[in-house]
Amino acid sequence: MNSIEPISHIKELCAERNWSYYQLAKSSGLSYSTVSTLLNNTNLPSLTTLEKICSGFGISIAEFFDPGHDTCGLSQEQQKCLQLFNALPDSKKELAIAFMKGLLGTL
């Protein structure tokens, strides 16, 4: 397993998604002050907080600590689609689903 520094990794995941700390807080159900304090200090998040953050990112704790770990047997193309979908705000996820249904002609 790779050695992951949680605070740095959370910041990287925000950067990959072009998320502000406010977006992370909203997505994870944490207060903005909790997220801001966590990411601007050197304290490690509690397991409960980390679970909420992972949920906000749409990833498991296993995926957080080992991003290359394939837990679902998905192809690289499917994983990329899932990563892109998970990076969308909830308001845009329904649009993405409708678009894919439209492509399939199943609307």
Side-chain angles (χ1 to χ4, degrees):
M1 183 184 296
N2 297 334
S3 177
I4 298 279
E5 202 291 303
I7 302 301
S8 295
H9 192 50
I10 293 168
K11 290 178 180 181
E12 289 169 7
L13 291 169
C14 282
E16 286 174 9
R17 290 163 172 76
N18 200 25
W19 281 11
S20 65
Y21 294 165
Y22 175 79
Q23 287 170 300
L24 174 58
K26 185 175 176 185
S27 176
S28 62
L30 296 167
S31 70
Y32 171 77
S33 62
T34 297
V35 171
S36 180
T37 300
L38 173 71
L39 297 178
N40 289 316
N41 291 324
T42 57
N43 298 340
L44 292 174
S46 67
L47 182 57
T48 302
T49 300
L50 188 56
E51 286 175 331
K52 289 180 181 182
I53 289 170
C54 288
S55 176
F57 284 134
I59 61 174
S60 68
I61 293 216
E63 291 169 308
F64 179 85
F65 285 106
D66 190 5
H69 184 71
D70 180 12
T71 59
C72 301
L74 299 176
S75 70
Q76 286 184 336
E77 188 176 53
Q78 291 168 326
Q79 289 177 27
K80 182 64 176 172
C81 287
L82 189 57
Q83 287 171 351
L84 291 169
F85 182 81
N86 286 338
L88 292 171
D90 288 340
S91 61
K92 301 235 176 168
K93 287 180 179 177
E94 287 300 318
L95 290 172
I97 291 168
F99 178 74
M100 291 184 346
K101 286 181 176 179
L103 288 173
L104 292 170
T106 60
L107 275 176

